[in-house]
Amino acid sequence: MERSAKAQNFSAKATAFMSYQNFIELSARQIVPFDGPALARLFESLSKNGDVERFHPHPLTSDEAARLAVHRGRDVYAVISDGDTPDAPLVGYGMLRGWEDGFTIPSLHIVVHPEARGRGVGRAMMHFLHDVARRRGAEAIRLKVYPDNTPARRLYESMGYRFESSGAQGFSAERQIIGLLTLTGALYAA
Ligand SMILES: CC(C)(COP(=O)(O)OP(=O)(O)OC[C@H]1O[C@@H](n2cnc3c(N)ncnc32)[C@H](O)[C@@H]1OP(=O)(O)O)[C@@H](O)C(=O)NCCC(=O)NCCS
C-alpha cells in the first residue's frame, strides 16, 4: 500500500533529523503548551503502530495530548523534538509521575516514535528523567515492563535497573516486571 504524503513527509524529516543526530545533542525538555498538536500526532503514530500494547500509562488520544501539554504540577512530562518550531515532530515522550499522588518514588514511562527507534532517543530521554529525579531528591525510580519487551528491558538494564527475577513480588497486576533504579550510591551506567 502506498504511504500517505503526510507519512512520507514525516519519514523524510525523521531521516534528515537522524542524519544530523551525530552532530547535535538529542535534548529532552519539559513539555510546554505549544507541544499539544505535535504530541497528538505522536500519539496517533503510536496507536497506528500498535504500541498501546506496551505503552499505556494513559489513553493515547488528542484530548489527552491537549491536557498533558498544559499540565502544571510536580509530575514531569517531557519530550524530544527534532526542532524548535511548533510543527516540529516529536520523536520521544516520557514522564516521571507519582509525586502528585503522594509517592516518594516516581514511576518512569517512555516511548519513541516508531520511525526514530534505535538511534539513542530513548536513552537520551532516560538520562533527562534520571537527572530530574536526582535534582528532586528522589532515592529511586520505579518502572514496569512486559517480560518480552526486549528493547525496553535491555535499555533499562543497561542503565542500572534491577528486576525481580521471579516470584509475585516482581510482577504488577497486569504481569509486567517491576524494575527499580537506586539513585543513591553509584551513578547509573552512561
Ligand atoms: C523501548 C524504546 C523506548 C527504546 O527507545 P530507542 O530510542 O529505540 O532506544 P535507544 O536507541 O536509545 O537504544 C538504547 C538501548 O536500548 C536497547 N535497544 C534498543 N532497541 C533495541 C532492539 N531493537 N533490540 C534490542 N535492544 C534494543 C539497547 O540496549 C540500546 O543500547 P545500544 O544502542 O547501546 O545497544 C522504544 O523501542 C519504544 O518506544 N518502544 C515501544 C514503547 C515501549 O515499549 N516503551 C517502554 C514501555 S516499558
Side-chain angles (χ1 to χ4, degrees):
M1 199 203 311
E2 202 168 291
R3 302 172 69 205
S4 70
K6 211 172 167 185
Q8 284 176 1
N9 184 41
F10 177 83
S11 187
K13 289 194 80 171
T15 305
F17 163 63
M18 292 309 162
S19 66
Y20 281 105
Q21 82 153 325
N22 289 336
F23 308 103
I24 62 168
E25 196 180 338
L26 285 168
S27 56
R29 57 172 174 78
Q30 284 210 42
I31 205 163
V32 293
F34 77 61
D35 289 318
L39 190 62
R41 288 195 292 276
L42 174 63
F43 286 176
E44 195 181 346
S45 300
L46 296 171
S47 297
K48 283 184 183 156
N49 198 49
D51 290 315
V52 68
E53 297 289 326
R54 291 178 164 182
F55 179 80
H56 43 68
H58 53 65
L60 298 179
T61 61
S62 55
D63 282 353
E64 191 70 4
R67 187 186 71 77
L68 290 163
V70 295
H71 169 269
R72 289 291 169 269
R74 280 182 294 151
D75 291 347
V76 175
Y77 294 87
V79 293
I80 294 180
S81 167
D82 79 340
D84 53 11
T85 59
D87 64 338
L90 295 180
V91 290
Y93 169 61
M95 74 199 73
L96 280 175
R97 66 181 190 182
W99 283 307
E100 288 169 19
D101 291 327
F103 293 99
T104 54
I105 297 180
S107 59
L108 179 149
H109 305 260
I110 64 162
V111 71
V112 171
H113 190 287
E115 295 189 41
R117 290 179 189 163
R119 314 288 182 111
V121 176
R123 196 180 289 283
M125 179 60 78
M126 296 292 289
H127 279 301
F128 177 79
L129 295 174
H130 290 178
D131 287 345
V132 170
R134 282 178 186 283
R135 285 200 302 274
R136 296 274 183 94
E139 291 179 0
I141 299 174
R142 183 178 178 275
L143 55 75
K144 295 190 288 185
V145 61
Y146 288 100
D148 65 350
N149 189 348
T150 303
R153 286 189 67 176
R154 290 216 178 131
L155 171 59
Y156 301 151
E157 282 162 4
S158 77
M159 300 196 81
Y161 284 81
R162 297 285 171 259
F163 294 88
E164 292 287 333
S165 53
S166 62
Q169 247 189 331
F171 287 93
S172 65
E174 67 272 44
R175 302 305 290 172
Q176 294 187 89
I177 304 170
I178 297 171
L180 198 73
L181 176 72
T182 304
L183 293 175
T184 50
L187 289 175
Y188 50 81

